[in-house]
Amino acid sequence: MSEPTLLVLAADPPPRLGRLTGRARVEYTDEDTLAARLPYADALLMWDFTSDALRRVWPGEGPRPRWVHTPSAGVDRLLCPELVESDTVVTNARGIFDQPIAEYVAALVLAMAKDLPGTLELQRQRRWRHREGLPVAGTRATVVGAGPIGRAVARTLDALGVRTAVVGRTPRPGVHGVADLDRLLIRADWVVCAAPLTDDTRAMFDARRFGLLQPSARFINVGRGPLVVEEALVAALRNRWLAGAALDVFDREPLTPDSPLWDVPGLIVSPHMSGDTVGWRDRLGEQFVELFELWLAGKQLPNVVDKKRGYVPMHDKSAD
């Protein structure tokens, strides 16, 4: 059997694929040449997982890869109707980002409760001003998204003494359904959005839902930018409908220097970094090589995305 062709949509630094030497023909492409080279690939690694190029070129002429892998949790940048309806298997990087994102969320909760941004600003101004922080233990959090990331966030907040409710697409033991979301938002001190981006979740946090929050509540988004209507959040913060917010993901990335989000009172902005810890790219590369070896051996792949839903179903326990 001839070596399969693995096409890699390049990004810097490139993945470490030395273990595949002699087992696959590895070829690199960019957005400009992806359409022409796609018909000749057996598998595609979207190493540049910020690219929308595949969604644009997949409907073109010729054969398509049998397998596409994205080294990210979300797959919304890949999916188009033609890919969804095809026989191509899509996998993601489930399991890599869960705990780092959970730790980042916990850091934001503690930072906002103890007003660390205010402390750093007062230090910069050389001003000594005593304040009182908020307790974290005993507060309530609603985590929207019942996948591995949302569950890791819930476990980590539980360890801080936060009473946490998790909301998923459908209710099941330990998970509330979407029908409970509004009721839980009304009671929450912390709202953490860690949901996948689908047609059902796009713009789910709008003016109505921000209006449900207590004035003392804080909102955190580590899911996808389009889950939030940013203008509604800005208005809610300016009108003091909630006490603060933190966004790690945005409708358009990167934020431009003239974006109004930089200057919104009570808003913490970070550059889509909540899941990225030292060595994360190496871990992504190692995960892909392990998946490739399974695929080459004809074995069942973990992390297979339900393309119609837009995420890996809960019954896939392989990466938990």
Side-chain angles (χ1 to χ4, degrees):
M1 179 180 176
S2 61
E3 296 176 354
T5 297
L6 169 62
L7 188 63
V8 181
L9 183 64
D12 190 32
R16 297 183 179 182
L17 301 176
R19 278 168 52 187
L20 301 184
T21 301
R23 307 169 70 187
R25 184 184 304 106
V26 180
E27 299 181 358
Y28 290 84
T29 186
D30 56 25
E31 292 189 349
D32 293 335
T33 58
L34 178 61
R37 303 181 75 173
L38 200 61
Y40 305 98
D42 297 295
L44 172 66
L45 169 58
M46 291 291 293
W47 189 246
D48 183 2
F49 55 82
T50 65
S51 172
D52 295 318
L54 186 64
R55 194 166 56 196
R56 295 195 301 269
V57 306
W58 189 273
E61 297 295 327
R64 290 295 180 257
R66 292 175 283 139
W67 171 38
V68 174
H69 177 76
T70 178
S72 62
V75 296
D76 49 278
R77 289 186 177 274
L78 305 181
L79 298 182
C80 62
E82 292 81 3
L83 175 53
V84 170
E85 296 301 326
S86 73
D87 294 331
T88 297
V89 174
V90 175
T91 56
N92 73 351
R94 190 184 198 200
I96 298 292
F97 300 108
D98 310 351
Q99 191 56 35
I101 291 177
E103 293 170 2
Y104 197 87
V105 169
L108 288 170
V109 167
L110 291 170
M112 289 191 279
K114 309 307 178 183
D115 191 27
L116 293 187
T119 295
L120 294 173
E121 177 58 24
L122 289 168
Q123 178 182 350
R124 188 189 67 80
Q125 298 176 11
R126 298 174 179 261
R127 294 174 58 196
W128 181 279
R129 184 161 69 84
H130 180 270
R131 288 109 62 229
E132 296 178 344
L134 298 172
V136 171
T139 58
R140 297 176 183 270
T142 296
V143 178
V144 182
I149 292 173
R151 298 199 307 276
V153 168
R155 289 194 301 270
T156 305
L157 294 182
D158 284 343
L160 295 175
V162 179
R163 291 174 285 178
T164 306
V166 178
V167 178
R169 183 172 180 264
T170 55
R172 52 191 179 274
V175 177
H176 294 266
V178 176
D180 291 335
L181 177 56
D182 288 358
R183 174 179 62 82
L184 293 169
L185 292 179
I186 292 170
R187 305 168 60 193
D189 300 295
W190 311 97
V191 177
V192 182
C193 182
L197 179 60
T198 67
D199 290 341
D200 292 332
T201 61
R202 187 179 297 274
M204 69 183 304
F205 283 99
D206 55 10
R208 185 187 71 81
R209 285 214 161 105
F210 286 125
L212 296 175
L213 302 183
Q214 304 177 74
S216 59
R218 270 100 173 160
F219 174 80
I220 298 170
N221 186 17
V222 289
R224 281 290 184 264
L227 298 169
V228 175
V229 180
E230 292 175 352
E231 295 82 359
L233 176 60
V234 169
L237 287 167
R238 294 193 185 280
N239 292 325
R240 299 184 180 180
W241 290 358
L242 67 162
L247 298 179
D248 185 56
V249 288
F250 302 87
D251 194 33
R252 294 186 180 180
E253 298 180 7
L255 285 187
T256 58
D258 60 350
S259 171
L261 293 173
W262 295 109
D263 301 315
V264 177
L267 178 61
I268 297 174
V269 169
S270 58
H272 203 149
M273 58 179 282
S274 62
D276 301 345
T277 53
V278 174
W280 65 282
R281 289 185 179 86
D282 289 340
R283 290 190 290 275
L284 289 172
E286 290 166 2
Q287 182 189 53
F288 174 74
V289 170
E290 292 171 1
L291 291 176
F292 191 91
E293 290 172 342
L294 291 174
W295 179 75
L296 201 60
K299 297 182 179 179
Q300 183 175 357
L301 289 174
N303 294 12
V304 174
V305 173
D306 183 324
K307 293 182 290 183
K308 293 187 182 296
R309 294 184 181 183
Y311 54 87
V312 179
M314 281 294 299
H315 59 71
D316 183 350
K317 301 293 185 181
S318 52
D320 293 355

